[in-house]
Amino acid sequence: MGPFMSPFNNLLCMLLGISFTVWFTLLLVFIIVPAIFGLSFGIRRLYMKTLLKVFEWATVRMERGAKEKNHLLYKPYSLNSTCVSGCVNTVHCYTCGKMICCSCCMTFDLFTTNSHCSASPATIYTLCSQTPLFVFLWDSENKPKNGGICVANHTSPIDVIILASDGCYAMVGQIHGGLMGLIQRSMVKACPHIWFERSEVKDRHLVAKRLSDHVKDKSKLPILIFPEGTCINNTSVMMFKKGSFEIGSTVYPVAIKYDPRFGEAFWNSSKFGMVNYLLRMMSSWAIVCSVWYLPPMSRQEGEDAVQFANRVKAAIARQGGLVDLLWDGGLKRGKVKDTFKEEQQKLYSKILVGTQEVRSRS
């Protein structure tokens, strides 16, 4: 045929052109333009409802098939044989739906990994597709203002994108290399973010001074800080570092909670790299996230930075339906301190003694 194309190739090119034009038009009309003007046609909510119906139908079919074949669909998680009946120190796992006794099992990695349970129905179904993003915002009248500090619980690197979709923030963090470093260098060209070298992060006074200088300038954007210092698995809020609460500025708490039924938003950095994690996120069914802007909080008279941090953390946990913990999130990377183990052992001992006393009275 030489340089000329066959009629079949011409038809194929024409169909591909029409398909691309239709797809781009639908994307522009029903997604991009409505998002610019804050409008919604209800397509995303319909998509979510449809997904839940599909999940329910598929789960029933799978459970029925497993029951007929006498197979175990979900791997059961058994507590220690010494687990106290009616233990009050339990938490709810949002992945498998079980109540886990953290005192009796003393599993410190319970809130930084989901190793205690197998895949739930929501994580069984996978589909490589463009992932829709659903963000539900509550109490927007409490949005952070210039000169303030916005603190939020941390589940995923996209927490920044979630919050930035409704406002602008100055970021604070450690300088990274690789892809994250490239993103940081690009961000600082558009906004005066505060990036620290690894050696500077250890200097609390230097960090506090740079934060204080930023919030004193009311023309600068509010600072967004994740006081946990690491990603936690969407079930709990762990210890807040006190540095963000020593400045004396108004704090705007924000609670972030992802819906685990549509995919796992938690970034387990010890298991997945950034690129791998983002690919997994983009191949999930959807990213559904609720964001609550809590009323601004200030440090009370006679309250130190640690007490203030714990009060803010408790408010975030309560609003987001998360477990309020005093443990350091860094436990997922380092060895558990003996003092932490001793505290849990003492608590476990008190539970056992109390249970035995109740049984003896009865």
Side-chain angles (χ1 to χ4, degrees), residues 108 335-345:
F108 287 90
K335 184 180 179 181
V336 179
K337 296 180 181 179
D338 292 335
T339 54
F340 277 68
K341 294 181 180 179
E342 291 173 2
E343 289 178 4
Q344 291 301 305
Q345 290 168 352

Side-chain angles (χ1 to χ4, degrees), residues 242-262:
K242 65 178 182 178
S244 310
F245 302 88
E246 292 178 325
I247 302 173
S249 177
T250 302
V251 171
Y252 295 86
V254 174
I256 304 175
K257 183 70 173 69
Y258 292 88
D259 193 327
R261 295 175 296 180
F262 300 94

Side-chain angles (χ1 to χ4, degrees), residues 137-273:
L137 304 170
W138 308 94
D139 303 320
S140 295
E141 68 274 7
N142 297 322
K143 286 177 58 175
K145 297 179 175 57
N146 290 1
I149 298 177
C150 174
V151 298
N153 59 301
H154 199 22
T155 303
S156 162
I158 70 169
D159 291 342
V160 178
I161 301 175
I162 296 293
L163 294 177
S165 66
D166 190 46
C168 298
Y169 298 90
M171 299 296 301
V172 177
Q174 180 176 297
I175 295 177
H176 293 270
L179 176 61
M180 183 65 75
L182 177 63
I183 296 173
Q184 287 181 322
R185 291 190 294 272
S186 301
M187 291 172 60
V188 80
K189 294 179 181 179
C191 177
H193 301 286
I194 304 176
W195 305 129
F196 296 97
E197 295 286 352
R198 186 178 297 272
S199 58
E200 295 177 336
V201 175
K202 298 179 181 179
D203 189 342
R204 289 178 48 247
H205 297 289
L206 175 61
V207 174
K209 184 179 184 307
R210 291 185 63 180
L211 293 177
S212 179
D213 292 341
H214 184 100
V215 298
K216 286 179 181 178
D217 189 347
K218 300 302 180 182
S219 64
K220 292 185 177 180
L221 296 173
I223 298 177
L224 175 58
I225 301 178
F226 300 104
E228 291 166 300
T230 187
C231 294
I232 308 301
N233 76 344
N234 201 37
T235 65
S236 315
V237 183
M238 302 191 79
M239 184 181 74
F240 277 7
K241 306 295 190 298
K242 65 178 182 178
S244 310
F245 302 88
E246 292 178 325
I247 302 173
S249 177
T250 302
V251 171
Y252 295 86
V254 174
I256 304 175
K257 183 70 173 69
Y258 292 88
D259 193 327
R261 295 175 296 180
F262 300 94
E264 178 59 75
F266 167 57
W267 180 32
N268 188 350
S269 56
S270 61
K271 187 176 181 181
F272 302 107

Side-chain angles (χ1 to χ4, degrees), residues 18 22 83 96 102 155 158 171 231 245 282 310 341:
I18 294 174
V22 172
C83 182
C96 65
C102 54
T155 303
I158 70 169
M171 299 296 301
C231 294
F245 302 88
M282 289 188 289
N310 288 337
K341 294 181 180 179

